Amino acid sequence: MVRAPCCEKMGLKRGPWTPEEDEILVAYIQSYGHGNWRALPKQAGLLRCGKSCRLRWTNYLRPDIKRGNFTREEEDMIINLHEMLGNRWSAIAARLPGRTDNEIKNVWNTHLKKRADPNHTESKSKRRTKCKKKATKSVAPISAPASPTHSFSDDFSSSATDSSVVTGDNYNYNAALKEEKMESVEELPQLDDSFWSEALSIDNSVPTNDLTTFEGSLAAPISAYSASNDEMGYWLRIFMESGDLQDLPPL
DNA sequence: AAAGAGAGCAACCGCTGTAGC
DNA sequence: AGCTACAGCGGTTGCTCTCTT
């Protein structure tokens, strides 16, 4: 099948979003929702492709996004869930209200991978390139007023959306817990990706709306299939009984 | 003070699954 | 049944900031 490139049209803007673009996107979605991402930028008057709009909304502008440092509990949960689910960031994000798959992926790659796998020696230098191009500094998302169509969370405010809050090395790792996690990782059965592809193929049965609406994103969609899939339930039970997932919230 | 390297995050790319026709 | 369009996902890259030399 031949699929047209997302941003094939000339004149479509790329790169960091400006506050004006953010404002337009937020205002449009508040008024009309985002039923059709492809048509959205055109209707909203944005020179962006629908994909870019969707990414910007889901990863940055969505009002229920919790920004700022990950708590110790969140980090532990990510490690546990990663042991269970692998690189299924969207599934992991579904268990962490207010966190996006992209954010979790970044945190994993920059902090938690080392913590979970201290033998990891991957060097980023191999992908290092000269930084010649000048790009607009990424801007913090604008705050969104209460929407008539969505129930925005009460704690959403501009003060909690400064992306700079996320940066910096504020991770105070507990050495004892680190060792504990290392041990538990070794004890886990090694499962290849094909297993999870099969076991989690039911992911697709989760209604899309549950993941894209504010209410749905705050719920835990994983619960919808974990209880309805015997095989998945079996493996979940195995992991639970291994004792490594005790601190997970109930499904 | 300047240059280089590393860290971190936002955004893009390309593939896959699914629904509609 | 096959094709197409679309949304979503995971991997990767580009760029800025901070730290080190």
Side-chain angles (χ1 to χ4, degrees):
Chain A
M1 166 195 342
V2 178
R3 189 185 300 280
C6 176
C7 301
E8 61 178 347
K9 289 182 184 174
M10 294 299 290
L12 285 187
K13 195 178 170 193
R14 296 180 57 194
W17 281 64
T18 65
E20 291 75 23
E21 288 176 312
D22 285 345
E23 195 170 354
I24 291 170
L25 182 58
V26 169
Y28 183 87
I29 292 177
Q30 283 175 10
S31 299
Y32 306 105
H34 52 72
N36 188 338
W37 286 112
R38 187 98 167 175
L40 189 151
K42 190 177 179 180
Q43 293 168 356
L46 286 165
L47 290 174
R48 295 275 183 174
C49 67
K51 207 171 187 176
S52 183
C53 292
R54 181 176 58 79
L55 262 296
R56 183 62 178 173
W57 173 257
T58 57
N59 288 336
Y60 213 74
L61 297 175
R62 232 176 50 197
D64 58 323
I65 287 177
K66 186 195 330 178
R67 304 200 71 82
N69 291 335
F70 277 66
T71 65
R72 182 74 203 186
E73 288 72 26
E74 286 176 314
E75 292 176 359
D76 290 342
M77 192 179 290
I78 290 169
I79 291 173
N80 284 332
L81 288 168
H82 187 269
E83 288 172 6
M84 205 173 86
L85 300 168
N87 293 357
R88 297 178 191 283
W89 307 116
S90 60
I92 294 172
R95 297 301 304 266
L96 289 163
R99 300 298 188 183
T100 69
D101 53 354
N102 205 37
E103 193 177 15
I104 291 170
K105 182 169 58 183
N106 282 334
V107 168
W108 172 264
N109 286 330
T110 54
H111 296 291
L112 304 181
K113 189 193 283 184
K114 302 165 196 166
R115 191 164 126 196
D117 179 14
N119 293 325
H120 176 76
T121 56
E122 180 187 343
S123 171
K124 291 180 75 177
S125 60
K126 66 181 178 183
R127 71 169 186 89
R128 283 288 148 208
T129 56
K130 297 284 185 183
C131 302
K132 293 176 184 174
K133 277 201 292 183
K134 172 74 180 80
T136 309
K137 165 79 176 144
S138 298
V139 295
I142 61 172
S143 60
S147 163
T149 53
H150 299 297
S151 54
F152 289 157
S153 58
D154 292 333
D155 60 351
F156 177 72
S157 66
S158 58
S159 64
T161 58
D162 187 348
S163 62
S164 65
V165 174
V166 186
T167 63
D169 295 325
N170 296 327
Y171 293 86
N172 240 339
Y173 298 140
N174 181 307
L177 183 59
K178 183 177 178 179
E179 289 183 9
E180 181 186 334
K181 289 297 169 190
M182 289 161 50
E183 289 177 10
S184 60
V185 168
E186 289 171 359
E187 290 170 5
L188 279 172
Q190 298 301 306
L191 301 171
D192 63 25
D193 196 56
S194 61
F195 163 80
W196 288 113
S197 298
E198 186 178 344
L200 295 178
S201 60
I202 197 166
D203 271 2
N204 300 318
S205 68
V206 178
T208 305
N209 285 346
D210 281 355
L211 296 171
T212 54
T213 61
F214 302 120
E215 294 82 1
S217 65
L218 290 174
I222 195 169
S223 62
Y225 58 77
S226 63
S228 61
N229 187 284
D230 290 339
E231 191 178 27
M232 183 63 182
Y234 168 78
W235 286 106
L236 277 174
R237 209 163 45 246
I238 294 295
F239 286 124
M240 292 293 188
E241 288 170 1
S242 77
D244 201 53
L245 301 174
Q246 291 172 355
D247 49 348
L248 283 178
L251 287 172

